[in-house]
Amino acid sequence: MTATAAQPQISAATPASAARTDEATNVITGARERVDTLDDRIIGLIQERMAVSAVIQETRIASGGRRVNLSREMEILGHYRDALGKPGTTLAMTLLELCRGRI
């Protein structure tokens, strides 16, 4: 299809990156690849944390303790809030939820 006054031609890079120049598209593409790599690392670390948390829970329960240690969870919430602000609390809550319920 050819471009008309009603349908301006848009470069192929525009929808994916919303960039208006090749240089910007290249920067955005590279940065997105880095974000994807970081996300993969974060997911791996969360999975590792889940496994370590399961060991802690199993050991605590086997010794007669509770599945969840609320004072420890409050420490974790405070740590994330101090490091990341209010959204850190939400992130920590999600992380704690992921890590507490597999037993």
Side-chain angles (χ1 to χ4, degrees), residues 64-79:
R66 296 178 168 213
R67 182 175 66 90
V68 176
N69 181 339
L70 295 177
S71 63
R72 174 66 177 145
E73 289 195 358
M74 293 305 293
E75 288 176 23
I76 293 166
L77 290 170
H79 180 69

Side-chain angles (χ1 to χ4, degrees), residues 2-102:
T2 60
T4 66
Q7 293 179 309
Q9 188 167 354
I10 299 174
S11 74
T14 300
S17 67
R20 300 200 181 262
T21 67
D22 288 340
E23 181 182 354
T25 297
N26 291 337
V27 169
I28 291 168
T29 299
R32 284 182 176 166
E33 288 170 1
R34 180 75 174 127
V35 165
D36 291 344
T37 298
L38 290 167
D39 284 343
D40 288 342
R41 288 175 51 199
I42 291 166
I43 290 166
L45 288 169
I46 290 170
Q47 290 169 333
E48 183 178 348
R49 189 188 193 288
M50 290 168 67
V52 172
S53 291
V55 169
I56 292 168
Q57 288 175 30
E58 289 168 1
T59 304
R60 190 171 43 240
I61 290 168
S63 70
R66 296 178 168 213
R67 182 175 66 90
V68 176
N69 181 339
L70 295 177
S71 63
R72 174 66 177 145
E73 289 195 358
M74 293 305 293
E75 288 176 23
I76 293 166
L77 290 170
H79 180 69
Y80 275 74
R81 182 188 59 246
D82 292 346
L84 303 171
K86 186 176 178 182
T89 303
T90 303
L91 177 61
M93 286 297 295
T94 300
L95 186 60
L96 290 169
E97 182 179 344
L98 284 168
C99 292
R100 65 165 84 105
R102 298 281 198 276

